[in-house]
């Protein structure tokens, strides 16, 4: 079997129609500002669709909100000190046992993926998220949309959650 050099494969992939390389501008990063003298150990990085616009930011709280231009859904990225159970309860208003999150152990952090439904002034909401815990800090990404739109954006939400990770703050 003949081996093809990696550079040749990369060039081939980039020239195929329908293939795209995500630019760094699509990756959003939020770091824990830290209340102590120690700098944050990690930052939460997520690849967000280009149609999302930052609608709010509170860097002192380590929180950024991104909203789709048409208002179809919002993504919130934030950090919080504390144990995962307490942070999940704060984010969702539900106990961890009621959420039944999927737990994944990674070398860098524990990850919990979860979903819940809720309501706001405009009706039923479908919500999902991921929480990464490094032993002291929870890094979260949550997505909220009208329940009737969830199926429309399900694949997009799955892609966002799959590309959410911790990176070194240094």
């Amino acid at each position: 079997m003949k081996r093809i050099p990696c550079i040749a494969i990369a060039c081939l992939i980039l020239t195929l129609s329908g293939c795209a390389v995500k630019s760094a501008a699509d990756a959003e990063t939020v770091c824990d500002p830290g209340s102590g003298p120690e700098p944050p150990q990690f930052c939460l990085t997520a690849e967000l669709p280009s149609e999302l616009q930052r609608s709010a930011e509170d860097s002192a709280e380590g929180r950024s909100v991104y909203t789709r231009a048409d208002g179809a859904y919002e993504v919130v990225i934030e950090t919080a000190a504390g144990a995962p159970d307490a942070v999940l309860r704060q984010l969702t208003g539900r106990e961890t046992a009621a959420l039944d999150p999927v737990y994944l152990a990674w070398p860098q952090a524990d990850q919990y993926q979860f979903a819940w439904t809720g309501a706001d002034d405009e009706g039923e909401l479908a919500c999902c998220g991921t929480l990464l815990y490094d032993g002291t800090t929870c890094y979260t990404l949550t997505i909220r949309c009208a329940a009737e739109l969830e199926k429309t954006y399900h694949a997009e939400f799955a892609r966002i959650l799959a590309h959410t990770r911790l990176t070194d703050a240094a």
Side-chain angles (χ1 to χ4, degrees):
M1 181 174 210
K2 185 176 178 183
R3 291 183 175 221
I4 300 173
C6 290
I7 192 76
I9 292 172
C11 290
L12 177 64
I13 290 172
L14 292 174
T15 59
L16 293 173
S17 62
C19 290
V21 176
K22 230 173 195 349
S23 69
D26 293 333
E28 292 294 332
T29 301
V30 175
C31 288
D32 177 15
S35 56
E38 293 294 317
Q41 184 176 5
F42 297 108
C43 295
L44 184 74
T45 302
E47 292 182 16
L48 300 177
S50 59
E51 57 270 358
L52 291 181
Q53 301 167 0
R54 187 178 303 211
S55 55
E57 179 177 23
D58 185 346
S59 54
E61 294 293 321
R63 184 174 198 267
S64 292
V65 179
Y66 301 86
T67 306
R68 193 175 146 96
D70 62 5
Y73 66 87
E74 83 175 5
V75 175
V76 179
I77 299 174
E78 57 192 314
T79 58
D85 288 342
V87 173
L88 284 171
R89 188 172 39 258
Q90 179 185 359
L91 288 171
T92 66
R94 291 170 171 72
E95 296 297 324
T96 304
L99 289 171
D100 196 22
V102 174
Y103 172 78
L104 304 162
W106 298 102
Q108 207 172 38
D110 293 336
Q111 182 175 14
Y112 302 83
Q113 294 181 351
F114 52 95
W116 77 102
T117 57
D120 69 2
D121 296 339
E122 298 177 22
E124 288 291 313
L125 296 173
C127 311
C128 60
T130 190
L131 178 148
L132 294 121
Y133 179 63
D134 68 4
T136 58
T137 303
C138 291
Y139 305 84
T140 64
L141 181 141
T142 55
I143 303 170
R144 297 171 21 129
C145 77
E148 65 270 9
L149 296 176
E150 193 278 333
K151 287 186 181 180
T152 303
Y153 295 105
H154 182 80
E156 193 167 310
F157 297 164
R159 213 172 13 263
I160 292 169
L161 293 171
H163 291 97
T164 300
R165 63 197 175 283
L166 289 182
T167 56
D168 290 327

